[in-house]
Amino acid sequence: MRTVLLAEPRGFCAGVRRAIAIVEQALERYGPPVYVRKEIVHNHHVVADLRSRGAVFVDSEDEVPEGALCIFSAHGVAPAVRDNAARRSLDVIDATCPLVAKVHQEARRFARDGRTLLLVGHSSHEEVEGTYGEAPDRTVIVETVQDARSIEIDAATPTALLTQTTLSLDETREITDALRDRFPYLAIPPTSDICYASENRQQAVKAIARRADLVLVVGSANSSNSIRMVEVAQAAGARAHLVPDADHLTAAWLDGVTTVGVSAGASAPENLVDDLLAVLAGHGFADIRVERAATENVEFTLPARLNAPAAEGEGAR
């Protein structure tokens, strides 16, 4: 019998649920258009759905009409973006994930202490751009182990470690070890910057990859945490592919396969997983077994202005 190992946890994390709810509540309370700087989360289906309901996604706060409502995405923004939004009198609602906000706070604290910040992450990712912006004159982005070994900073320099929240645990560990070897005065936050959801999803994928011939991770191509899950599955010995939706499943991948592992990145909605499972069932993979690696009960509250009852006439814009 052909079997599906369905990873748990998978899909939306608390930060993604909060960010999407912020846009939904803002649309309900204030009516469209509601402007969102960048994609609220990195999933094209989520963005398309919110766009159909009146959200307007822009690349820069400069594209938002002066005085209009502007939501910052879950990935966070640099202080320069906040300052520019204030100059343009934008009505800002911040959907930055609290775990990303934690990294920003660490960046400010370490910078105040006079340390050089070693930011482990991908320079093109919006989250890294935001964190880097907290102290651009004293931050060095470290993308690889080779970077960690070759950056031109004196070993006696007081340094501090920061990490993009969606990275691979194993890869980050190698980079961190290399930095520790080079910098004896490296300060490290008391708790890991890798978010709980990234860690849980990677561990769940690693568990099913050991028993699957093929692993499929539902997620968009610009989703860092989804890409890392594919890499984790491959490192564990399984063939693995990123599948933005069921239409991207290639039937030839299933040739000779008896067990498929399925999971989803933290920004992928569950209906996309359901669609993929239905297609797999059509190929004979009807036996679905849930494999739980962790239980998640984290919830993040919405900004106070969206929790409070709407004032009379507040929806008019």
Side-chain angles (χ1 to χ4, degrees):
M1 179 179 291
R2 289 180 148 188
T3 301
V4 173
L5 300 179
L6 184 59
E8 180 68 35
R10 65 181 179 279
F12 283 174
C13 64
V16 165
R17 286 195 298 271
R18 174 180 182 270
I20 294 171
I22 285 173
V23 179
E24 292 173 335
Q25 290 292 318
L27 285 167
E28 180 177 339
R29 179 173 292 233
Y30 303 112
V34 166
Y35 293 87
V36 184
R37 187 185 183 277
K38 305 290 187 179
E39 292 188 351
I40 186 67
V41 297
H42 283 160
N43 187 273
H44 300 324
H45 290 271
V46 169
V47 170
D49 175 63
L50 293 173
R51 183 180 287 120
S52 72
R53 295 154 69 177
V56 178
F57 293 89
V58 297
D59 285 330
S60 168
E61 66 282 359
D62 287 326
E63 300 173 54
V64 181
E66 287 199 15
L69 180 66
C70 178
I71 298 176
F72 292 156
S73 80
H75 308 102
V77 299
V81 172
R82 297 182 187 278
D83 292 344
N84 190 37
R87 281 194 297 271
R88 304 189 68 251
S89 301
L90 300 185
D91 182 10
V92 170
I93 300 178
D94 190 357
T96 300
C97 173
L99 300 180
V100 175
K102 163 187 175 287
V103 181
H104 281 242
Q105 291 168 357
E106 292 167 349
R108 293 191 293 270
R109 175 168 60 85
F110 285 135
R112 284 197 301 268
D113 291 344
R115 293 182 177 273
T116 295
L117 311 183
L118 304 178
L119 175 55
V120 179
H122 302 290
S123 59
S124 60
H125 195 277
E126 290 160 34
E127 181 186 328
V128 170
E129 292 174 0
T131 305
Y132 179 89
E134 292 288 354
D137 58 334
R138 59 188 319 112
T139 301
V140 177
I141 297 175
V142 182
E143 297 195 77
T144 65
V145 173
Q146 182 57 37
D147 287 346
R149 292 170 178 161
S150 62
I151 51 177
E152 296 181 358
I153 300 175
D154 188 273
T157 302
T159 52
L161 176 72
L162 298 172
T163 308
Q164 181 181 331
T165 64
T166 56
L167 296 183
S168 159
L169 287 165
D170 294 334
E171 181 183 18
T172 304
R173 190 176 298 113
E174 290 183 32
I175 296 174
T176 300
D177 288 345
L179 291 173
R180 278 175 164 157
D181 289 342
R182 283 200 60 194
F183 300 104
Y185 303 105
L186 179 67
I188 297 177
T191 58
S192 172
D193 288 342
I194 303 294
C195 90
Y196 78 94
S198 294
E199 180 174 356
N200 287 345
R201 281 151 189 72
Q202 288 175 30
Q203 296 296 355
V205 161
K206 190 179 296 186
I208 63 173
R210 298 190 187 105
R211 299 164 49 201
D213 307 304
L214 172 71
V215 172
L216 303 174
V217 176
V218 179
S220 290
N222 62 338
S223 168
S224 176
N225 79 87
S226 300
I227 294 170
R228 302 290 85 75
M229 289 166 66
V230 173
E231 294 171 350
V232 165
Q234 292 169 338
R239 287 190 295 120
H241 297 281
L242 185 69
V243 184
D245 53 49
D247 291 341
H248 286 78
L249 175 66
T250 299
W253 295 343
L254 303 175
D255 291 346
V257 170
T258 58
T259 303
V260 175
V262 172
S263 189
S267 51
E270 186 67 10
N271 68 290
L272 298 182
V273 176
D274 294 338
D275 292 345
L276 178 61
L277 293 177
V279 172
L280 288 172
H283 288 278
F285 292 87
D287 180 27
I288 300 176
R289 303 179 184 178
V290 176
E291 301 288 327
R292 182 180 296 276
T295 299
E296 293 180 352
N297 52 18
V298 178
E299 293 184 10
F300 295 135
T301 59
L302 298 183
R305 66 183 285 183
L306 295 179
N307 273 326
E312 185 176 349
E314 186 178 36
R317 279 196 170 274

